Amino acid sequence: MYSEFDREVGEMRVEQERQARIDAARAELTKTGRDACECGATISPARRRAYPSATRCLECQEIVEKEAYLK
């Protein structure tokens, strides 16, 4: 059987892992992407507002998503 101490330590570890996942998700949301797409085109201001971490222009992103969908 587990002692009260073991249970408390386990609960603390679960909470620490949960908080780490929350912190990582928040950091990902606030991460900024680039001003220029991989193809060299400028990423539109509207796309940057909607998806700040964008690394591709809308046209390139559509191509990548279509290719992934067709696989």
Side-chain angles (χ1 to χ4, degrees), residues 15-26:
E15 180 59 27
Q16 288 172 342
E17 290 171 4
R18 185 185 73 81
Q19 190 61 47
R21 287 191 305 273
I22 291 170
D23 293 342
R26 284 185 178 147

Side-chain angles (χ1 to χ4, degrees), residues 6-29:
D6 292 333
R7 188 185 61 75
E8 288 177 8
V9 169
E11 288 177 359
M12 286 187 331
R13 286 185 182 160
V14 167
E15 180 59 27
Q16 288 172 342
E17 290 171 4
R18 185 185 73 81
Q19 190 61 47
R21 287 191 305 273
I22 291 170
D23 293 342
R26 284 185 178 147
E28 189 67 26
L29 288 173

Side-chain angles (χ1 to χ4, degrees), residues 7-63:
R7 188 185 61 75
E8 288 177 8
V9 169
E11 288 177 359
M12 286 187 331
R13 286 185 182 160
V14 167
E15 180 59 27
Q16 288 172 342
E17 290 171 4
R18 185 185 73 81
Q19 190 61 47
R21 287 191 305 273
I22 291 170
D23 293 342
R26 284 185 178 147
E28 189 67 26
L29 288 173
T30 60
K31 185 173 76 172
T32 59
R34 298 185 290 192
D35 293 329
C37 177
E38 297 166 350
C39 72
T42 302
I43 299 173
S44 71
R47 178 154 170 73
R48 305 273 310 142
R49 282 191 301 275
Y51 188 57
S53 61
T55 59
R56 297 181 189 97
C57 65
L58 186 58
E59 293 79 17
C60 288
Q61 186 63 38
E62 287 175 346
I63 292 168

